[in-house]
Amino acid sequence: MAASPSSLRVYRGILKELRAMQGQNYKQSLAYNYVTDQFRKNQVTGERYCRAQQEALHASQTYLCLLASSRNHQALHNLYHAKGERNPEDVAGLVGLRLPTQPGGKGWEK
Amino acid sequence: MFRSLARLHHQFGNALSLCKRRTNHHHFSCSLKYSSVATERKRFYQDVTISQGEGGLFEINLDRRKLKTPGGKLLTVPNEALAIAVATEWDTQRDSLKFYAMHLTTLCNTALDNPTQRNEDQMISAALKFLETDTVCYRVEEPYGLVDLQKNEWDPVLQWIENRYDVTIGSSSSIMGPDIPQATKDTFYQHLKSYNFWSLTGLEYVITQLKSVVLSLGMIDRYLSVEQAVLLSRLEEEYQIRCWGNVEWAHDYDMYELRARTAAGALFVHLSSEGSTVKRKLLQD
């Protein structure tokens, strides 16, 4: 039985995440070798219903979710939360508002 | 590089000596030891490798130094897969170490150091406390859209777990929640007894993240994927998002964090329960 389409998709997904995290040298990493090895071992089986394979598929989907979510979370963190506290103008801008401007500065009306 | 190593050692040394001196002040020394988790530190190593040490346990090496837990113990994990996953977390840190994003390492540290000094029984009862206030058991009476959503999405999972473990849980819209029979708690208690300390650590982590025993067991038993479990756990929030719109820096941010934490916990349970897939497949080949 060849690898099912869904497991191939997960496999590609994990490799994509590894490359995003480790750059061009990702093929030398421990994780790359281990994941490739595991997917090769699990795709050759004559059993019609293989519990171990189901287990491996679920675990690999979980790992893919861990890698992808961590990356997305980090990206959002860097974009919105990494710069410390915002100034009032930026805060107003976040909800689509602008601070009122006063031509002569504060207390100009007097 | 050497300076940061020295600083690291210095901190660990401090924490250790404090620990010895203040054995009667557990809480104080624990909070001191774990305070470093929130801060970032520069990456002080080049290569991350794993090696198999005494008793077949795996260790993680940063350059040639062995990785230790905040409590000063050697960080050892029971199998190769988990060791590689932890090593990958260390290897993928770029300039600074973001401890708050290294969930598997954190779980290993917790399992090894056991900072709250609990035994398995205490952990099981802490985990099962969540059953009494389980997310999927509490229903709203209005708005009707959300009532339907909860019924359609949560009822199948409740039904599944009631059949799978042969228990009654039920749901309720009262503030007191459903009346869960003692037999149900006993069944889950017996089931969790079969978990080892490491997988219990992971399971309790998942339960506290999802705020639900039902969803956590559904995910560990492979009835739900991580994404589904997180979606069901955040059902009301998803409903509000549908009504009022999505805010990337709050909703998506929370969701990805919850997904990452839940996935890490689930993977930790999977990899640390005995008879893992890895070993079985190796024997078959």
Side-chain angles (χ1 to χ4, degrees):
Chain A
M1 195 173 83
S4 63
S6 59
S7 69
L8 263 182
R9 204 165 47 233
V10 177
Y11 174 56
R12 287 212 193 95
I14 292 181
L15 293 193
K16 188 184 139 222
E17 293 301 329
L18 287 178
R19 190 167 66 185
M21 289 191 304
Q22 299 180 318
Q24 288 304 309
N25 297 332
Y26 77 106
K27 287 198 176 173
Q28 274 111 52
S29 68
L30 284 170
Y32 176 86
N33 288 319
Y34 184 80
V35 167
T36 310
D37 202 38
Q38 286 305 308
F39 270 90
R40 278 204 192 116
K41 278 200 184 111
N42 277 290
Q43 76 179 4
V44 215
T45 169
E47 289 157 289
R48 196 170 287 177
Y49 179 75
C50 181
R51 197 181 133 85
Q53 199 183 23
Q54 296 289 317
E55 240 176 63
L57 181 62
H58 192 263
S60 57
Q61 281 166 341
T62 306
Y63 191 50
L64 174 60
C65 179
L66 169 63
L67 295 180
S69 310
S70 301
R71 179 174 53 81
N72 285 322
H73 179 253
Q74 200 59 50
L76 286 177
H77 182 83
N78 292 340
L79 187 61
Y80 293 110
H81 300 280
K83 295 173 200 116
E85 208 162 296
R86 288 158 212 279
N87 57 24
E89 286 82 11
D90 285 352
V91 176
L94 275 180
V95 288
L97 299 174
R98 260 185 319 191
L99 289 186
T101 50
Q102 294 177 332
K106 211 174 176 190
W108 172 75
E109 297 91 334
K110 275 190 251 174
Chain B
M1 195 180 94
F2 279 109
R3 207 183 310 149
S4 49
L5 272 183
R7 204 182 321 138
L8 193 73
H9 190 77
H10 186 66
Q11 277 191 358
F12 279 153
N14 259 350
L16 268 180
S17 54
L18 259 173
C19 204
K20 273 175 210 150
R21 243 182 291 147
R22 296 179 177 267
T23 36
N24 49 346
H25 291 103
H26 275 305
H27 295 294
F28 180 74
S29 61
C30 281
S31 68
L32 199 91
K33 269 190 290 177
Y34 284 86
S35 63
S36 65
V37 172
T39 56
E40 293 182 8
R41 182 180 292 144
K42 256 180 80 178
R43 178 170 166 155
F44 56 86
Y45 52 88
Q46 297 295 317
D47 297 320
V48 184
T49 52
I50 61 168
S51 56
Q52 202 165 8
E54 281 169 42
L57 294 175
F58 286 85
E59 297 159 1
I60 287 98
N61 308 308
L62 308 174
D63 290 337
R64 290 201 177 162
R65 283 177 67 90
K66 287 177 175 172
L67 182 60
K68 287 186 177 175
T69 67
K73 284 186 193 160
L74 193 64
L75 196 142
T76 50
V77 297
N79 59 56
E80 191 189 4
L82 188 55
I84 289 179
V86 172
T88 305
E89 277 189 344
W90 285 83
D91 200 19
T92 52
Q93 302 297 312
R94 290 270 165 82
D95 307 323
S96 56
L97 305 178
K98 296 178 172 61
F99 293 111
Y100 55 82
M102 297 162 76
H103 304 302
L104 289 172
T105 309
T106 312
L107 281 165
C108 291
N109 287 339
T110 312
L112 285 167
D113 283 350
N114 191 11
T116 45
Q117 311 280 324
R118 286 183 306 168
N119 59 28
E120 293 188 11
D121 271 350
Q122 287 168 312
M123 287 175 74
I124 294 177
S125 26
L128 287 184
K129 259 251 176 279
F130 275 81
L131 188 63
E132 292 161 19
T133 55
D134 203 290
T135 302
V136 299
C137 295
Y138 277 82
R139 305 298 169 88
V140 293
E141 284 170 328
E142 56 170 2
Y144 298 116
L146 184 56
V147 174
D148 284 349
L149 199 63
Q150 291 185 340
K151 193 165 157 7
N152 295 335
E153 300 298 322
W154 283 348
D155 276 358
V157 189
L158 260 181
Q159 240 165 38
W160 171 84
I161 201 161
E162 289 183 335
N163 290 335
R164 163 81 171 75
Y165 291 94
D166 198 17
V167 291
T168 3
I169 297 175
S171 59
S172 158
S173 59
S174 97
I175 188 99
M176 304 300 286
D179 216 0
I180 293 170
Q182 189 58 37
T184 303
K185 289 178 195 165
D186 292 344
T187 309
F188 282 124
Y189 183 83
Q190 283 308 323
H191 176 66
L192 293 191
K193 269 287 202 194
S194 68
Y195 281 60
N196 62 29
F197 188 81
W198 281 58
S199 24
L200 264 183
T201 308
L203 183 68
E204 199 200 349
Y205 184 74
V206 172
I207 291 174
T208 53
Q209 295 302 320
L210 294 176
K211 316 280 187 286
S212 168
V213 175
V214 175
L215 293 177
S216 306
L217 286 177
M219 189 178 61
I220 302 291
D221 288 339
R222 302 201 305 278
Y223 174 72
L224 299 169
S225 68
V226 180
E227 286 89 343
Q228 286 169 331
V230 167
L231 177 75
L232 292 177
S233 168
R234 290 164 35 91
L235 199 60
E236 181 170 0
E237 209 168 336
E238 296 291 341
Y239 173 79
Q240 301 296 352
I241 290 172
R242 218 198 283 165
C243 291
W244 304 102
N246 186 32
V247 179
E248 199 181 39
W249 46 267
H251 295 135
D252 283 355
Y253 185 77
D254 284 350
M255 184 196 67
Y256 283 127
E257 183 170 31
L258 187 60
R259 270 193 195 172
R261 285 167 181 267
T262 311
L267 198 67
F268 192 79
V269 175
H270 174 79
L271 292 179
S272 49
S273 30
E274 74 266 77
S276 82
T277 322
V278 185
K279 283 177 198 154
R280 221 180 297 155
K281 290 312 276 189
L282 282 175
L283 283 177
Q284 277 177 3
D285 280 333

